[in-house]
Amino acid sequence: MADALIYSGNFEEAVDFVKKAMRLDPNNPATYLYTLGLAHFGMEQFQQASSFFERAFKLNPEMGSLQRAYLAVAYVYLGQAEKARTELDKSKIETMEMYNMWVGIREVYKEPRDRERLLDGLRKVGIPEN
């Protein structure tokens, strides 16, 4: 439910759902932390978003490269270009993943401003648009 709320632009409400999920099922903290990061990213609270993403990746370093791109973009918006490049290097995003990312983002976010926030950040971090 939190993911649906995030992609429909209801970030604050998504946070409430994630916190409830964490209480009901505390066995998957990396996923919950990542989802909290997405919600804060959507609210343009990039410091909080990056903190949640960092904690998620610390708990689960094997999270996907597409997820790491959000952290790189959060760093870009925080003015931390070097950290963004380092994170992007860690992600090892392949060409097909990049293509899927660009196409998927256009389809998943309901609000154009939310879609553009991420797409603009991806451009700034150096992920080419296909």
Side-chain angles (χ1 to χ4, degrees), residues 46-47 72-85 124:
F46 300 114
Q47 187 63 51
V73 171
Y75 287 151
V76 164
Y77 283 124
L78 291 170
Q80 300 172 351
E82 187 59 40
K83 282 179 86 170
R85 282 189 289 280
K124 288 177 180 176

Side-chain angles (χ1 to χ4, degrees), residues 84-124:
R85 282 189 289 280
T86 300
E87 196 59 42
L88 192 59
D89 288 344
K90 282 185 199 174
S91 72
K92 297 181 177 77
I93 295 176
E94 302 294 331
T95 302
M96 184 52 77
E97 287 177 309
M98 280 190 248
Y99 173 77
N100 290 338
M101 180 186 303
W102 285 102
V103 170
I105 290 165
R106 287 187 175 89
E107 295 175 357
V108 74
Y109 282 101
K110 177 183 174 190
E111 298 296 328
R113 71 178 183 279
D114 298 328
R115 180 173 46 246
E116 283 306 311
R117 178 185 310 110
L118 181 57
L119 293 174
D120 185 52
L122 291 171
R123 288 181 198 103
K124 288 177 180 176

